[in-house]
Amino acid sequence: ATFVIVIIVSSDWEIDHTDNVSIARDVAADLMSDCERIAKKSLTGKTKNITTKTAMQVIESLVECAEGKVAKEIDVANEEVLFQERIRTTMGDHWENYTCADKNMTMTEPKDQTVFFDRKSGKRLSVDVMLDRPASKIHVIRNFITKAECDAMELAAQPRLHAATVADDKGGSRLSDNRKAKQAGISVPWGEEAQGHPIAVLSRRVYDYTNFATGQNIEHHGQEDLMSIQYVGRGDVEAPDRYMPHCDGDCKGQPHRDGGRFATMVMYCVVPEIGGATNFKNSAVHVKPEVGTATFFSYMDNDGKTDKGFTEHSGCPVIKGEKKIVTQWVRKGVDKDNRWDSWNTLGIKYDAMGD
């Protein structure tokens, strides 16, 4: 949020303090003052004989007046918000092009720091808080994924790698120039978690962190597979391995749809010499990948309202070297009986589509 504070000191040392709260209070007072004048005018000559009916009529006219004026103020405020949002996204487009093209671009400075306690390993992991809004959070977690976990994921993915796809407008998926990479979905062997299977241990850590960061109570039942994604640098070619700006879930401020994604964890196993950053263009957050580090972002608040584009992100082109990541898309509203693939890519549940 943006806060405006103005302090004016006059020549006789009187201080006039103005901020967002006082401005809002003054606007509300002006609105009610107008409506109060109208209500009082309707009572002229009736003060000695006010019936219940008359009193109700006055109250109704006061409410009607206030509703009309508030609605008008809301329309004006919404127009201002939309105008500023258009400016923000336009600037984000320019920032996206600049940051991905700048091979020496450094990582954005965090706004805050915190610590996550990993109960399985007993380690305290350092967390850089890059963005902290109710419906939009971006965290960078140090030493989140181990080499053994990366190796296990790469070994499991190797025979299954295929060209990465994007969602289409028919509820399925398709190949696209917006996304150039290889990927493979890996089922988590939950039955071997107690024996310390590296993939199961890693996946548990993802859900523990998701609940830590969002305050949700997400379980692993019905969730998507872990995804191994690999990019290869081929120089400054016309169509490099990359992922153009996109949202992983809904990001227009609408209510979250049951079974849909609401958070993402991107874990870096191999990082390229040049390129491959994770870029959040509308939040001015640029994450330069480091081996073992993870980027977590969520796009839903506790009231179920989704992000307004602050977590729209891209994978900058990989120019030199390889980029190998493990990604987990986390959903809310899935369980053993309602798996993630019970919904199509448009968020429509198959059993609700009929024939």
Side-chain angles (χ1 to χ4, degrees), residues 15 51 101 124 136 141 182 195 257 269 286 303 330 340:
I15 298 177
T51 64
R124 295 167 66 85
S136 321
I141 316 148
K182 297 288 187 181
Q195 289 74 45
R257 291 180 290 186
C269 289
H286 185 79
D303 294 324
V330 186
W340 69 274

Side-chain angles (χ1 to χ4, degrees), residues 26 68 72 74 94 104 131 141 226 249 292 299 304 324 346 353:
D26 290 343
K72 184 177 179 180
I74 290 175
H94 293 303
N104 298 313
L131 181 69
I141 316 148
L226 279 167
Y299 26 95
K324 296 181 180 181
L346 295 177
M353 297 172 64

Side-chain angles (χ1 to χ4, degrees), residues 244-257:
M244 297 289 281
H246 64 284
C247 296
D248 286 350
D250 292 331
C251 62
K252 294 183 179 178
Q254 63 267 57
H256 175 264
R257 291 180 290 186

Side-chain angles (χ1 to χ4, degrees), residues 10 31 42 45 59 115 137 164 181 214 227 231 299 304 331 340 346:
S10 63
L31 290 177
S42 68
I59 292 173
V115 173
K137 301 182 187 300
T214 66
M227 189 68 71
Y231 303 80
Y299 26 95
R331 294 176 178 249
W340 69 274
L346 295 177

